Amino acid sequence: MDRGEIIIYQMPDGSTNLDVRLENETIWLTQAQMVMLFERDQSVISKHIRNIFQEKELDKISVYAKFAYTATDGKSYNVEHYNLDVIISVGYRVKSQRGTQFRIWANKVLEKNGILYKANGSRLIENNTLVALTLMIAESRTEEKDMMLKVVVNLINRNN
């Protein structure tokens, strides 16, 4: 999976498909893809990403990458991508139902590929705030609770 693969995410309403990059044990989207996913203006998505880094919610070095993309003209371009941590953070900030649906789908894809999504859990342990994860679980939709509980159990087992 180091070289990455592209998987297709279809919006539940069938309106849009996104070519999602699966690489380095996470899912990556461009800013333009987040605009389509969250149905928000590019300036809104850009502002939230900028704030995520300014507020030090996430460290840009670990959640940002440029991937080569060959355009229809045959030229190769480096395109900025953001990983699932950023996608989830933006989704919480824009309060998007489509973002919630994408997060559920992404976690299933990662789990299917033998990857336990651990980035949120790692960040919480670094900040010593497992309480925050517990609150997230309590506020989550039913379909997200099982996945989040798996993360908590994994974190507890890893720290013992």
Side-chain angles (χ1 to χ4, degrees), residues 1 3-11 16-30 32-34 36-37 67 69 81-84 87 98 101-103 105-110 113:
M1 201 162 24
R3 62 176 170 63
E5 70 179 275
I6 302 297
I7 50 180
I8 297 174
Y9 171 70
Q10 183 171 357
M11 305 291 177
T16 309
N17 290 338
L18 293 176
D19 291 343
V20 177
R21 179 180 286 272
L22 177 61
E23 189 164 332
N24 298 326
E25 298 192 347
T26 191
I27 285 176
W28 300 84
L29 291 180
T30 65
Q33 289 174 308
M34 283 190 260
M36 289 190 319
L37 173 65
F67 296 112
Y69 165 76
H81 285 74
Y82 300 90
N83 80 3
L84 188 56
I87 300 163
R98 288 175 67 159
Q101 293 163 341
F102 180 82
R103 183 172 62 249
W105 172 85
N107 280 299
K108 287 178 183 173
V109 167
L110 293 174
N113 283 279

Side-chain angles (χ1 to χ4, degrees), residues 37-97:
L37 173 65
F38 298 124
E39 298 180 310
R40 299 295 191 277
D41 190 71
Q42 191 274 335
S43 64
V44 171
I45 301 300
S46 183
K47 176 189 77 169
H48 285 306
I49 291 172
R50 185 175 51 253
N51 288 342
I52 287 165
F53 297 138
Q54 285 177 347
E55 295 166 8
K56 304 215 184 315
E57 178 181 341
L58 297 170
D59 178 28
K60 186 174 183 177
I61 293 170
S62 61
V63 297
Y64 166 86
K66 286 188 177 184
F67 296 112
Y69 165 76
T70 304
T72 54
D73 63 4
K75 293 181 183 176
S76 185
Y77 299 93
N78 284 323
V79 180
E80 296 178 344
H81 285 74
Y82 300 90
N83 80 3
L84 188 56
D85 276 346
V86 176
I87 300 163
I88 289 172
S89 293
V90 170
Y92 281 128
R93 288 168 184 247
V94 298
K95 297 174 180 61
S96 167
Q97 176 63 33

Side-chain angles (χ1 to χ4, degrees), residues 118-134:
K118 61 185 182 296
N120 277 340
S122 298
R123 189 168 60 241
L124 289 168
I125 281 188
E126 289 171 13
N127 296 333
N128 196 22
T129 56
L130 274 175
V131 172
L133 183 56
T134 305

